[in-house]
C-alpha cells in the first residue's frame, strides 16, 4: 500500500495528467474498487478511444489513484459537459484528489464553450452527493431504476 501524505490535507504532490491506453489496467483496478456495477474493461477501453473527449488520471508516487472521464453533449439549446465517471481509490479519499479531477474536466468543458456540467449519481451514495453539492452541483432530476440493480440516480448539474 502506498501512503500518500498531502500537505495540510490537500492533494499536493498528486499529478493530474491525460490518461493513455496503457493506463487502462490501473484505471480498471480503481473502477473495481469504487463501484458496485463497474464499467467492464472492454467498455472502458471503447469509451476512452471513441466517445470521451476528456479522460484524466491522478497519479501519486507512480501509482494511479483516481481518474475522471467526460464528454461534451449538445442539445438544441445548450452545449454542456457530461461527467461520465469519476473515481478515487478508497484509501486515497479526503486529500482533494476528486476535486482536482473534477475541476480538470470542468476546465476542459468550459474552454470548449460549454455552459455547465452534468452527472448522474446513485440516490443512496450520500458521500458522493455531498461532495458534489459542496462544490456547487445541484440536484436537477431523478431517474428511476437507472442502475443495473434498480437503484435510482439523481442528475446533478453545475452551471459555469
Amino acid at each position: 500500500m502506498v501512503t500518500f501524505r498531502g500537505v495540510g490535507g490537500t492533494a499536493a504532490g498528486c499529478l493530474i495528467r491525460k490518461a493513455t491506453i496503457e493506463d487502462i489496467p490501473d484505471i480498471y483496478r480503481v473502477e473495481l474498487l469504487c463501484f458496485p456495477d463497474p464499467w467492464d474493461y472492454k467498455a472502458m477501453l471503447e469509451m476512452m478511444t471513441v466517445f470521451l473527449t476528456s479522460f484524466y488520471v491522478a497519479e501519486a508516487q507512480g501509482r494511479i489513484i483516481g481518474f475522471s472521464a467526460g464528454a461534451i453533449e449538445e442539445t438544441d439549446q445548450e452545449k454542456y459537459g457530461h461527467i461520465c465517471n469519476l473515481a478515487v481509490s478508497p484509501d486515497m479519499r479526503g486529500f482533494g484528489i476528486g476535486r482536482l479531477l473534477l475541476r480538470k474536466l470542468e476546465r476542459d468543458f468550459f474552454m470548449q464553450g460549454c455552459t455547465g456540467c452534468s452527472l448522474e449519481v446513485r440516490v443512496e451514495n450520500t458521500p458522493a452527493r455531498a461532495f458534489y453539492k459542496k462544490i456547487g452541483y445541484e440536484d436537477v432530476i431523478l431517474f428511476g431504476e437507472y442502475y443495473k440493480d434498480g437503484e435510482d440516480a439523481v442528475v446533478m448539474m453545475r452551471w459555469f
Side-chain angles (χ1 to χ4, degrees):
M1 180 169 113
V2 174
T3 302
F4 180 74
R5 300 206 192 302
V7 176
T10 67
C14 179
L15 171 69
I16 305 296
R17 64 170 174 79
K18 282 267 193 198
T20 67
I21 296 296
E22 292 77 25
D23 294 326
I24 291 289
D26 292 325
I27 292 168
Y28 189 64
R29 177 189 49 77
V30 173
E31 176 81 3
L32 292 174
L33 289 171
C34 294
F35 298 107
D37 62 340
W39 288 1
D40 69 44
Y41 190 90
K42 185 177 176 183
M44 187 169 282
L45 183 60
E46 184 176 346
M47 290 295 285
M48 176 188 256
T49 56
V50 179
F51 298 108
L52 300 175
T53 56
S54 300
F55 206 134
Y56 293 97
V57 294
E59 189 174 8
Q61 299 176 355
R63 176 180 155 215
I64 291 176
I65 57 174
F67 69 94
S68 60
I72 294 176
E73 297 185 6
E74 292 188 57
T75 67
D76 291 339
Q77 300 151 350
E78 286 191 85
K79 182 178 179 180
Y80 62 95
H82 182 182
I83 298 167
C84 301
N85 207 333
L86 175 71
V88 175
S89 293
D91 62 328
M92 296 289 116
R93 292 179 183 161
F95 294 107
I97 296 162
R99 181 184 297 253
L100 288 175
L101 286 163
L102 184 64
R103 293 300 191 218
K104 187 69 171 167
L105 286 178
E106 290 174 337
R107 191 173 308 119
D108 277 6
F109 298 148
F110 179 77
M111 295 303 289
Q112 294 180 57
C114 293
T115 57
C117 209
S118 72
L119 58 93
E120 297 85 20
V121 62
R122 287 177 174 271
V123 168
E124 299 297 323
N125 191 345
T126 52
R129 291 179 67 190
F131 164 75
Y132 292 121
K133 284 184 181 201
K134 184 177 179 180
I135 54 180
Y137 283 77
E138 300 173 22
D139 294 351
V140 176
I141 193 168
L142 180 75
F143 277 141
E145 299 181 18
Y146 181 82
Y147 294 98
K148 290 178 192 174
D149 63 4
E151 188 175 343
D152 298 343
V154 174
V155 175
M156 299 182 80
M157 189 127 194
R158 178 176 178 261
W159 290 266
F160 302 139

